[in-house]
Amino acid sequence: MNARLQCIACEKNFPIDEIRYTCDCGNLLSVERDAIGVGRDVFDARRASRKLIDQSGVWRFREAVLDVADIVTHPEGGTRLYERGGIFFKHEGENPTGSFKDRGMTVAMTQAKRLGARAVACASTGNTSASLAAYAAQAGLRAIVFIPSGKVAAGKLAQTLAYGATALAVRGDFDAAMRLVREACDRLGIYLVNSINPFRIEGQKTIVWELLQDLEWSAPDWIVVPAGNLGNTSAFGKALREAHGAGWIDRLPRLAAIQASGANPFFRSFREAFAQRHRVSAETIASAIRIGDPVSYEKAVGAIRATNGVVEQVTDEELMAAKREIDAMGIGCEPASATTLAGVRKLKTSGVMRDGEQIVCVLTGHILKDPDAILKGVGSIEIEPTIEAVEKALTMSPRA
Ligand code: F0G
């Protein structure tokens, strides 16, 4: 395997199997390889294969992800691409645990096993923890998750516990939980599988590759992604750089990363041409992205710059209106995912996105992840068990 860990700033190299998440200079690490060797034909042929490893929308691209024999896979990926009203939606909520996190987790958990880890941990707003818990259960590893107390959506917390993880509800926000898990992993020798772990990024790249494959390798004009801890934005930038470098696509789509306006440190930096990094105290109904100090900031800046991308912000009202629209299409998603459509609306109004451009929104989480966000706005009509009550409720008269 020609892969190595490389610092994104000073480019110092480390062996691929060294347990470390940052360089000696403090910056993040990235998995880099000299050449990929296979390309579109191989990936397309695998799509028709019945082997589990080829069926996985992650391991189908294994030479460009992590080329090892023993993998922990559900399988994952293979999500649908919908077209509605001229916009494409890649629904990553269709992954085994209902979010895109499974694509990163299958790779991080495969690496955890290779490294002989006995326990794995993450800080999470809920989706990473559910994914970690499921993959750790499959791998036979102890799962420990650090979650912001009282701030995780019901579906995610229930899943995490059901799969058997130990959940530590930290009295503090996600950013506090993130700081604590890093310290705990260092001190207690636990393998950290947040997106600061470069193997998570390798798996999440395949969201972009699979959607390019769905589009028969014709690059769209825009790929739109919700932005929280900025792992996905980073992964998308790397995926596009590698796909373009390998000649799988002949032009680079632009990335649009969308934040909630109450959790917008990346947007603030973008507005100042990334002159400085911001940290905010985050608040938004989209609890998945209630993050004020994203760990993958530097990588994400690189992704936006390299793709001539943009960062936009949307209010809770705007993202919830977009969620109702996506739900009413019969597709549905959790609130954070709907920042994408809300962002598209705003970027079209401001003229950044133009008519006729092909846009792919990545829906990151399943509609059932956050039932409370739905039930605040709608309810069923309670009736007596009589036909009169049905008629009255439906305000329909009997057929003449
Ligand atoms: N959408 C959903 C549904 C998420 O769960 C997350 C992140 C994001 C978007 C943002 O992605 O962090 O890569 O910028 N969820 C993490 C978690 C923080 O713990 O589940 P990002």
Side-chain angles (χ1 to χ4, degrees):
M1 186 164 44
N2 65 25
R4 60 192 181 277
L5 297 175
Q6 189 178 76
C7 174
I8 61 163
C10 75
E11 299 192 355
K12 184 169 176 183
N13 289 315
F14 301 93
I16 191 81
D17 287 342
E18 187 169 329
I19 299 183
R20 61 156 63 231
Y21 316 101
T22 51
C23 181
D24 299 327
C25 75
N27 279 288
L28 297 179
L29 300 173
S30 165
V31 176
E32 298 295 331
R33 49 183 73 71
D34 298 329
I36 293 170
V38 298
R40 292 176 356 185
D41 295 352
V42 172
F43 304 147
D44 288 348
R46 285 178 184 161
R47 230 174 163 161
S49 155
R50 284 172 183 263
K51 281 198 221 150
L52 270 195
I53 187 170
D54 294 337
Q55 292 266 311
S56 165
V58 174
W59 299 102
R60 185 190 310 144
F61 304 99
R62 52 192 169 267
E63 291 84 354
V65 171
L66 183 66
D67 204 2
V68 298
D70 249 342
I71 59 172
V72 184
T73 179
H74 263 66
E76 45 291 306
T79 58
R80 275 165 283 245
L81 182 71
Y82 299 91
E83 192 193 344
R84 295 288 186 280
I87 298 177
F88 288 92
F89 295 92
K90 180 72 170 163
H91 206 327
E92 289 298 305
E94 295 177 354
N95 272 291
T97 76
S99 84
F100 71 96
K101 304 287 181 180
D102 294 340
R103 291 196 189 245
M105 204 53 74
T106 180
V107 184
M109 209 59 72
T110 293
Q111 185 65 0
K113 279 207 89 167
R114 294 185 67 229
L115 297 171
R118 279 172 306 164
V120 287
C122 69
S124 181
T125 55
N127 279 325
T128 305
S129 60
S131 183
L132 174 143
Y135 280 84
Q138 188 181 0
L141 302 179
R142 173 153 195 214
I144 304 156
V145 305
F146 292 63
I147 54 174
S149 183
K151 296 293 184 184
V152 171
K156 305 176 187 183
L157 182 57
Q159 265 186 305
T160 302
L161 297 171
Y163 294 133
T166 302
L168 303 178
V170 180
R171 290 194 196 101
D173 58 12
F174 170 83
D175 302 293
M178 187 70 231
R179 285 190 293 272
L180 189 58
V181 76
R182 287 178 74 165
E183 199 182 330
C185 285
D186 275 350
R187 170 99 64 120
L188 305 174
I190 303 167
Y191 191 58
L192 180 62
V193 295
N194 274 102
S195 54
I196 191 174
N197 182 317
F199 295 96
R200 280 273 314 278
I201 303 294
E202 291 307 284
Q204 284 167 214
K205 291 185 311 192
T206 64
I207 301 169
V208 165
W209 293 343
E210 191 176 87
L211 79 81
L212 292 172
Q213 192 174 27
D214 292 335
L215 295 171
E216 296 178 50
W217 302 103
S218 116
D221 295 290
W222 291 94
I223 298 176
V224 190
V225 61
N229 213 17
L230 300 179
N232 236 10
T233 305
S234 305
F236 283 25
K238 190 168 192 280
L240 290 172
R241 166 162 67 84
E242 292 177 356
H244 193 238
W248 305 341
I249 46 173
D250 54 19
R251 65 183 181 118
L252 276 180
R254 299 176 71 183
L255 279 183
I258 319 293
Q259 295 210 289
S261 53
N264 66 355
F266 194 46
F267 172 76
R268 289 183 191 210
S269 296
F270 172 77
R271 203 166 44 185
E272 303 168 349
F274 297 121
Q276 59 170 323
R277 181 170 179 169
H278 286 270
R279 292 171 176 83
V280 306
S281 175
E283 192 50 82
T284 167
I285 189 170
S287 58
I289 51 173
R290 191 171 173 276
I291 296 172
D293 185 14
V295 295
S296 292
Y297 173 78
E298 268 93 11
K299 285 186 179 178
V301 171
I304 295 298
R305 285 199 169 130
T307 61
N308 188 25
V310 299
V311 186
E312 183 56 278
Q313 64 173 354
V314 296
T315 64
D316 280 4
E317 291 71 32
E318 288 166 336
L319 72 90
M320 285 307 287
K323 173 178 152 54
R324 285 190 291 274
E325 267 188 75
I326 295 166
D327 292 352
M329 293 170 189
I331 297 176
C333 64
E334 66 164 284
S337 308
T339 56
T340 53
L341 181 60
V344 167
R345 293 273 141 78
K346 264 188 124 155
L347 291 166
K348 282 197 164 184
T349 304
S350 63
V352 174
M353 288 180 175
R354 286 189 290 267
D355 285 348
E357 287 186 319
Q358 193 181 42
I359 299 166
V360 183
C361 292
V362 175
L363 302 180
T364 44
H366 194 278
I367 187 172
L368 290 177
K369 287 282 192 173
D370 191 351
D372 297 330
I374 303 168
L375 294 172
K376 268 180 209 151
V378 292
S380 47
I381 308 166
E382 190 163 334
I383 59 166
E384 293 302 325
T386 65
I387 191 67
E388 292 74 23
V390 174
E391 285 171 4
K392 192 169 164 224
L394 301 181
T395 56
M396 285 172 88
S397 47
R399 270 185 283 193

